[in-house]
Amino acid sequence: MGLFGTLAALLTVTALFAYANHRTVRLPTTIGVMLIALLTSLALLALHGVGIDLDVPARRLLQGIDFDETLLQGMLSFLLFAGALHVDLGDLAEHKGTIAVLATFGVVISTAVIGGLTFLAAGALGLDLRLIDALLFGALISPTDPIAVMGLLSTMGVPRSLETKIAGESLFNDGVGVVVFLILLELARGTEPVTAGDVALLFAQEAGGGALFGAVAGYVAYRMLRSIDDYKVEVLVTLALVTGGYALAGALHLSAPIAIVVAGLLIGNQGRAFAMSDLTRDRLDVFWELIDEVLNAVLFVLIGLEILVITFAPSAVVLALLAVPIALLGRSVGVFVPLAGLRPFGLRQEAGVKRVLVWGGLRGGISVALALSLPPGPVRETLLVATYAVVVFSIVVQGLTVPRLVRHVLQTGPPRDLDPLDEDSGPPAVA
């Protein structure tokens, strides 16, 4: 099947699943289409088990798609820019401490906890998994997926402060997570010795260089937008920024996700305020909202169908079931420990906020794409099954229950009359 045929099949299936979701269960679109795709995949596998091979066309479709290339080198740039476009820089700056520690220290701590526990669990099950392989799993599963998270937030109506913290963390920690993953992958290959200095230099180059590149590219696009008033050309400028900027950042060995997030924040704030007419702003918002919705739906259909091409060995399935609580524990430690470190600086963290951050930290397509990018072999298959289990649990179970948790936190209220969803509140006033 050629590129057009593959695209046509994907869009047709996605449209049918979205229609079925809207007409029946009416779940949030991303969750609904993924759940229908997953149930469809399971039904096809069941039919295959009794000799009815209706799954063959779907397998051919999926085998013709490089998930890693499609997401990390294609869809991700559009989805990150669309998400960053609507994040307020003022709100982001107000909660910069929380976002910074969660997106950096939180990812590193979670990687270590998940990697260590996965290594112990694999050893108990008799699986041949090295510690570095388990740490790779920790790195790819630790970042919360901005695509999954922001798709959920758009349907929840959560307070602005909490939305900023969750969205801000998810936009940046995927870039940090990819950098940590690449460092560990280099260590796993073991072709050349890697020193602490090499790790620090690579991190600075990827993360810091990516942020600087994004700021420069975003500023150039901002100046271009400010010099004209034609929404059609201005939409093209933002498209060039997203595609060209992402490709060039990758070619320069900089973090392309971080670059696009920074560029999107600049265009969404400075560009929206000073470089666009009301007509351009409205048209640009509608364009990127549609891009976001369509690509999100396609991505989650792909995740639901991916089960058709994954090999499920019995021991790997047991590890996958253990990976779900391990990932939740790693996320908990990666949230509670860094936020506890902010207390000496006068920042208060309420337990309700931390519970929402833990349970609302969804994993999605980025984790699956990173798992698929591992070198072929038994380790890749084992980690892919574990990744898939965590992602499906995260999107379906956590995604459907986070709104209830948020409502519970709002209804119960915090002690000492603090805002239940404002963890940066200072100490209560003394009468």
Side-chain angles (χ1 to χ4, degrees), residues 26-321:
R26 289 185 175 271
L27 294 173
T29 302
T30 51
I31 298 176
V33 296
M34 197 208 78
L35 193 55
I36 292 173
L38 180 60
L39 293 174
T40 301
S41 299
L42 292 173
L44 290 174
L45 288 174
L47 290 173
H48 179 80
V50 296
I52 304 175
D53 296 331
L54 296 178
D55 60 319
V56 174
R59 288 178 186 270
R60 288 176 180 169
L61 172 67
L62 292 170
Q63 288 167 352
I65 299 172
D66 187 333
F67 198 101
D68 172 39
E69 183 75 18
T70 300
L71 177 58
L72 294 182
Q73 305 302 328
M75 298 168 69
L76 185 59
S77 59
F78 295 94
L79 293 165
L80 287 176
F81 184 83
L85 205 58
H86 298 287
V87 175
D88 187 272
L89 268 178
D91 293 338
L92 206 62
E94 183 180 350
H95 304 293
K96 60 182 181 295
T98 300
I99 294 168
V101 297
L102 289 176
T104 52
F105 296 109
V107 170
V108 173
I109 292 170
S110 175
T111 297
V113 172
I114 294 174
L117 292 176
T118 301
F119 176 69
L120 294 175
L125 293 171
L127 290 169
D128 185 17
L129 200 68
R130 300 174 299 168
L131 178 59
I132 190 66
D133 298 325
L135 288 171
L136 274 170
F137 174 67
L140 67 88
I141 209 67
S142 288
T144 56
D145 192 320
I147 302 160
V149 171
M150 299 189 77
L152 175 67
L153 290 178
S154 65
T155 67
M156 285 175 56
V158 300
R160 191 178 186 90
S161 63
L162 180 61
E163 182 177 358
T164 300
K165 293 162 193 169
I166 297 177
E169 181 208 358
S170 66
L171 282 170
F172 285 102
N173 72 6
D174 69 300
V176 174
V178 170
V179 174
V180 174
F181 176 83
L182 292 175
I183 291 170
L184 290 171
L185 187 59
E186 192 68 26
L187 290 171
R189 286 172 177 159
T191 52
E192 295 180 6
V194 179
T195 66
D198 294 332
V199 171
L201 181 62
L202 178 60
F203 191 88
Q205 175 187 323
E206 288 273 352
L212 180 61
F213 177 86
V216 172
Y219 181 75
V220 171
Y222 162 74
R223 296 298 301 181
M224 293 174 67
L225 294 174
R226 191 168 183 176
S227 66
I228 59 173
D229 185 15
D230 185 328
Y231 75 85
K232 297 180 289 295
V233 177
E234 291 177 79
V235 167
L236 281 173
V237 169
T238 59
L239 275 172
L241 170 63
V242 171
T243 55
Y246 196 91
L248 183 55
L252 295 173
H253 301 291
L254 308 175
S255 175
I258 290 178
I260 291 303
V261 167
V262 172
L265 289 171
L266 195 152
I267 297 299
N269 288 268
Q270 293 297 108
R272 186 186 299 277
F274 303 112
M276 300 178 192
S277 65
D278 290 339
L279 177 61
T280 296
R281 195 178 299 114
D282 291 342
R283 297 295 173 88
L284 195 74
D285 284 346
V286 170
F287 174 80
W288 281 105
E289 182 180 343
L290 284 173
I291 290 287
D292 186 44
E293 290 291 334
V294 171
L295 290 184
N296 256 310
V298 171
L299 172 61
F300 281 83
V301 165
L302 276 174
I303 293 174
L305 294 175
E306 196 68 24
I307 193 174
L308 291 171
V309 292
I310 295 177
T311 303
F312 291 90
S315 55
V317 171
V318 176
L319 181 64
L321 295 176

